[in-house]
Amino acid sequence: MNTSTGSKHRIVVGVTGGIAAYKAVQLVRLLVKDGHEVHVVPTEDALRFVGAPTWEAISRHPVTTSVHDDVAQVRHVALGQQADLVVVAPATANTLAKMAAGLSGDLLGTTLLATAAPVLVAPAMHTEMWLHAATQANIATLRARGVHLIGPDSGQLTGQDSGPGRMSEPEAIHAEVGRLLAARRDLAGVRIVVSAGGTREPIDPVRFIGNRSSGRQGVAIARAAAERGADVTLVAAHVDEGVLAEVPAHIRMAHAGTAAELGARMTELAPEADVVIMTAAVADYRVANAAEHKLAKEDGAPTIELVENADILAGLVAARRPGQLIAGFAAEMPTETETVIERGVRKRRRKGADLLAVNEVGWQAGFERPDNAVAIIGPDDSVVAEARGSKREVADALLDAVLRLRG
Ligand code: CTP
């Protein structure tokens, strides 16, 4: 990734096979005019609409679709690794499906898999294709992974039809690129340690007491922070496999099974961190009499003795170094006497965290879902922010609150 702090960036423009490819010419012109280094990566199909000489002339860089050109420079991954932003315009239904599946059959595919930079897609297709459940599912997958979306606009499409499916105008895409480039480095140089997932407390070698945390929210925070320039370490308790697969390689990872292991990892890592975020769902109790051998029914119903685990968050607050900011999460249900916020306020005080993101859970809400809704309680017990939407959006809201508090 380009670490320059100036306003000139390295941008990859992926162009895929739709008639709107001709409008991407204007987008590339605008980006080049800004002084950015622009590399156009068309698909084979895109070249049927606008040829390589046009892209080379306006981007002033060589253009290829193949992973076999320029092999000595490892171009198939270098473009993605070095990019500050990748924009795919137009993005066809086929390309969105390939992106959602992680296919890498051409240079654009490998570039998208190799990049840790923000990705912006500008879909363009017929209305029926845009509204199809398959396309909508692919868009949801990409958004959950943090891909940014612009459009499509509604209006006249190729032929007689009109409706949603028109690619956004190049000027609008250009403005969105500018916004993403300006916004994303606001955590540069900040060292963040995030815990995610649920701990598992063994009962015997094959059984455990666990919880329904998928790790999605913690992973979303780690990814958002890394994208915004932070130096991130993710401490993963049990995290769903699919969620773990979305952690980019440049995020450092540590693993922890039990609450005690998670506590040990966090205690090791926290002294080097500017910000610590405890997103993990930590078991309050562990099994005191965990069996060395697998329990069998013929032994009779076991009595499981529980002992309390240390409160990791409170421990980190007690040991914190000056200037370190510590945030937690709490999943709460209202009671007859207290609202979710009142419970959150009490919990924040009890643990001493600077920020506590509180969400309401029930049997249906909160866990194992792509969306979340939280109220963030600040050091003075007021709600400093509310966020509702994808776990990525909630992650960004929490990171914004962290930044405001750091001043
Ligand atoms: N937490 C922790 N160590 C524990 C329990 C919780 O660090 N042993 C952290 C969680 O990671 C989270 C916050 O504390 O950031 C709140 O977790 P929660 O389970 O709601 O807290 P509890 O103290 O267990 O509260 P309750 O009595 O409501 O279960």
Side-chain angles (χ1 to χ4, degrees):
M1 187 180 291
N2 187 351
T3 50
S4 75
T5 48
S7 57
K8 305 301 172 238
H9 295 276
R10 194 188 279 243
I11 299 173
V12 171
V13 179
V15 183
T16 73
I19 183 67
Y22 82 89
K23 290 207 275 181
V25 174
Q26 174 64 0
L27 172 65
V28 173
R29 287 184 60 144
L30 291 169
L31 294 171
V32 170
K33 219 167 115 195
D34 287 343
H36 297 306
E37 179 182 328
V38 181
H39 295 269
V40 179
V41 182
T43 58
E44 278 295 325
D45 273 352
L47 293 180
R48 299 167 78 113
F49 293 92
V50 178
T54 302
W55 299 122
E56 291 191 345
I58 55 164
S59 73
R60 302 172 201 156
H61 286 286
V63 163
T64 172
T65 63
S66 163
V67 294
H68 304 297
D69 292 337
D70 224 354
V71 175
Q73 318 261 321
V74 209
R75 188 176 168 84
H76 70 292
V77 289
L79 276 175
Q81 286 170 335
Q82 292 163 4
D84 294 309
L85 186 126
V86 180
V87 46
V88 183
T92 58
N94 185 42
T95 296
L96 295 173
K98 289 205 282 194
M99 285 175 75
L103 297 187
S104 60
D106 58 9
L107 186 60
L108 182 57
T110 55
T111 300
L112 285 162
L113 284 186
T115 195
V119 176
L120 173 66
V121 293
M125 65 198 74
H126 285 277
T127 302
E128 293 82 354
M129 294 172 75
W130 170 249
L131 295 178
H132 194 282
T135 304
Q136 289 301 309
N138 290 332
I139 283 288
T141 300
L142 293 172
R143 283 193 60 214
R145 265 181 221 160
V147 169
H148 303 274
L149 176 72
I150 179 164
D153 293 348
S154 269
Q156 179 76 51
L157 302 167
T158 330
Q160 297 304 312
D161 38 349
S162 75
R166 256 172 85 97
M167 187 177 86
S168 296
E169 292 305 321
E171 292 73 16
I173 301 171
H174 172 246
E176 185 63 12
V177 166
R179 201 187 62 75
L180 289 171
L181 286 172
R184 77 187 182 83
R185 300 296 299 176
D186 57 0
L187 287 167
V190 180
R191 297 165 301 171
I192 302 188
V193 176
V194 189
S195 69
T199 65
R200 289 180 166 183
E201 307 300 320
I203 297 170
D204 70 9
V206 296
R207 303 180 178 93
F208 58 84
I209 299 176
N211 59 64
R212 286 171 57 192
S213 173
S214 63
R216 277 198 186 90
Q217 185 62 72
V219 168
I221 292 170
R223 295 191 50 168
E227 236 180 61
R228 289 167 67 162
D231 173 34
V232 181
T233 305
L234 174 68
V235 183
H238 181 79
V239 172
D240 285 3
E241 237 169 76
V243 177
L244 213 50
E246 289 173 9
V247 178
H250 63 285
I251 292 182
R252 258 188 313 281
M253 293 256 293
H255 294 271
T258 63
E261 285 167 13
L262 182 65
R265 292 290 93 74
M266 295 305 292
T267 308
E268 277 162 32
L269 292 164
E272 299 298 318
D274 302 306
V275 178
V276 179
I277 304 178
M278 280 294 296
T279 319
V282 185
D284 290 329
Y285 300 95
R286 67 180 175 279
V287 179
N289 57 338
E292 295 258 336
H293 294 280
K294 186 182 166 202
L295 296 170
K297 244 186 327 208
E298 57 193 18
D299 303 330
T303 303
I304 294 174
E305 278 173 43
L306 298 175
V307 284
E308 197 169 332
N309 281 325
D311 190 314
I312 302 169
L313 181 56
L316 293 170
V317 169
R320 79 157 116 204
R321 58 182 183 76
Q324 188 178 57
L325 196 148
I326 302 183
F329 268 80
E332 299 291 340
M333 285 173 97
T335 63
E336 277 177 16
T337 54
E338 270 185 319
T339 65
V340 162
I341 299 291
E342 284 164 344
R343 293 183 65 77
V345 165
R346 254 189 334 112
K347 187 168 284 186
R348 190 204 66 74
R349 284 192 184 175
R350 194 167 73 234
K351 302 197 179 232
D354 302 296
L355 296 168
L356 192 76
V358 185
N359 65 349
E360 188 169 324
V361 287
W363 290 106
Q364 303 302 329
F367 292 111
E368 297 165 351
R369 296 163 66 95
D371 281 1
N372 205 356
V374 300
I376 301 170
I377 298 169
D380 64 352
D381 291 341
S382 70
V383 173
V384 295
E386 281 180 305
R388 174 179 297 277
S390 68
K391 290 195 171 172
R392 171 55 191 256
E393 281 157 342
V394 168
D396 277 322
L398 178 68
L399 293 169
D400 290 345
V402 164
L403 267 179
R404 281 196 300 273
L405 211 55
R406 279 171 57 88

